[in-house]
Amino acid sequence: MRFSEKNVLITGAAGGIGSTLVERFRAEGARVAVADRDVSGIDAEAHLPGDLLDPGYADGLAPAAREALGGLDILVNNAGVITRGPVTETSDADWSLSFGVNVEAPFRICRAAIPLMAEAGGGAIVNVSSCWGGKAPGPNHALYCTTKAAIASMTQCMGTDHAHQGIRVNAVCPNEVNTPMLRSGFAKRGFDPDTAVAALGSTVPLGRLAEPEDIRDVIMFLASEDARYMCGALVEVNGGKAVA
Ligand code: NAD
């Protein structure tokens, strides 16, 4: 019960990694506020549906979670979108969507959450970046990598700037994870997702792709007291398959 009495806000709570986070934080004693476009059917202490592209919604999420839960100790900025292709195939709409969800929304949520956490004596924020961008860019995903580099850099800045307030800000940088984000990409390109996941898994030194739980457990470690001396870290979780 590492998180008993802790109040946690999780974005992207309906997704592959997000849903495992919600279930496990609650199993370990936390009260959880879930944020996603559709949160119906998710067991949680507070439901905060909305679109992260709406600045008012993103600005209001942290205060709404504090109000609903009675406090805010932990924030996981997990929601994300992926756009594929080189810069020359990237539209203005791709730019707005990717920066809006992957960078601007976590910026807005952190900007509101940090003063609330500081007032309460501290807290922990975990951002979900990626090996692609957080550590080194991968091929043919220029915009996605750029946004993940931005959130990685913002994590390092906030990790330094807010440590004195007892707020630890860190990021996890996964390589490929077997979630709807990855599987829908295979399906769109005409591949059978199961076959493609197995094939890609065989390129990983550990012999398989990450499951959402493999990433969840590192996020929860960073959110927990076990990571009490970690601030601004970018933690790569890759099964031995580094991108650079
Ligand atoms: P997912 O697609 O299963 O979940 C992402 C969630 O974010 C979805 O539930 C979606 O509804 C939500 N979301 C997206 N846009 C939103 C918006 N405008 N407003 C509100 N919610 C919105 O993907 P996942 O793999 O679980 O991704 C979680 C995080 O992990 C993302 O930040 C992603 O970039 C990162 N990541 C994933 C992989 C991978 O291979 N799956 C690898 C590295 C990093």
Side-chain angles (χ1 to χ4, degrees):
M1 300 296 272
R2 284 180 296 176
F3 300 101
S4 80
E5 304 301 312
K6 297 291 185 194
N7 298 299
V8 184
L9 169 61
I10 299 170
T11 70
I17 295 171
S19 54
T20 68
L21 281 167
V22 174
E23 182 258 310
R24 193 68 210 153
F25 266 114
R26 295 184 78 233
E28 292 203 37
R31 286 187 293 270
V32 176
V34 290
D36 207 308
R37 278 182 297 231
D38 180 1
V39 291
S40 56
I42 304 179
D43 288 334
E45 282 59 44
H47 295 82
L48 304 171
D51 185 344
L52 288 170
L53 293 172
D54 172 356
Y57 171 70
D59 285 339
L61 259 183
R66 183 174 76 159
E67 171 80 21
L69 300 174
L72 182 63
D73 305 294
I74 293 166
L75 161 65
V76 184
N77 280 307
N78 162 71
V81 290
I82 190 162
T83 36
R84 298 185 167 82
V87 160
T88 45
E89 289 167 22
T90 298
S91 67
D92 288 2
D94 292 336
W95 176 274
S96 303
L97 173 68
S98 297
F99 270 89
V101 176
N102 295 357
V103 185
E104 185 175 337
F107 153 73
R108 289 182 178 280
I109 301 168
C110 287
R111 185 175 62 178
I114 287 168
L116 303 181
M117 289 177 170
E119 199 183 295
I125 298 174
V126 185
N127 295 321
V128 181
S129 176
S130 170
C131 284
W132 283 18
K135 290 291 174 180
N140 222 32
H141 288 73
L143 189 51
Y144 181 71
C145 294
T146 303
T147 63
K148 290 300 182 180
I151 191 62
S153 181
M154 203 190 303
T155 298
Q156 292 173 307
C157 296
M158 293 189 294
T160 303
D161 292 343
H162 301 288
H164 75 98
Q165 294 163 296
I167 300 168
R168 299 183 304 97
V169 189
N170 294 289
V172 68
C173 299
N175 209 322
E176 289 103 346
V177 190
N178 185 14
T179 70
M181 178 180 278
L182 189 81
R183 298 177 70 87
S184 61
F186 286 138
K188 252 186 229 157
R189 284 172 281 164
F191 301 115
D192 170 57
D194 286 336
T195 311
V197 162
L200 193 55
S202 69
T203 68
V204 178
L206 269 185
R208 63 173 178 84
L209 284 195
E211 292 299 326
E213 293 78 6
D214 297 318
I215 310 307
R216 171 199 72 190
D217 289 350
V218 179
I219 292 171
M220 292 184 69
F221 161 72
L222 290 171
S224 79
E225 269 304 292
D226 293 339
R228 61 195 164 274
Y229 205 64
M230 295 181 74
C231 297
L234 307 178
V235 180
E236 195 170 359
V237 190
N238 63 14
K241 186 181 174 185
V243 287

